[in-house]
Amino acid sequence: MLAAQPAFAETYRPVREILLTASAWGLLVAIAALGIGTSLGAMARLGWRHLALVTGTSLVILAVAGGGLVILR
């Protein structure tokens, strides 16, 4: 990755922060939209094996993301 030129560093930093904040909010809205569109009744009709798979996958993702945050901290 190329480093920013010192002359542009002060301009780049606030723009970067705005873009990171917008990205985080966009991700949050996208995840919320998926959750709102999920029908619990339809999921229940799939059966317990599918629900167990979704739950297990979600727990693995949570563990990996949480572990990554702990390591980076």
Side-chain angles (χ1 to χ4, degrees):
M1 186 165 85
L2 297 174
Q5 296 294 328
F8 297 112
E10 293 305 315
T11 303
Y12 173 73
R13 192 166 317 172
V15 172
R16 180 179 180 268
E17 293 301 319
I18 290 169
L19 292 175
L20 286 173
T21 302
S23 174
W25 276 102
L27 181 60
L28 180 67
V29 168
I31 291 171
L34 285 172
I36 290 171
T38 302
S39 168
L40 294 178
M43 286 180 64
R45 286 190 294 275
L46 290 175
W48 70 270
R49 289 184 181 136
H50 288 91
L51 291 177
L53 180 64
V54 169
T55 302
T57 303
S58 297
L59 290 174
V60 168
I61 292 169
L62 176 65
V64 169
L69 289 173
V70 168
I71 289 171
L72 292 175
R73 187 175 153 207

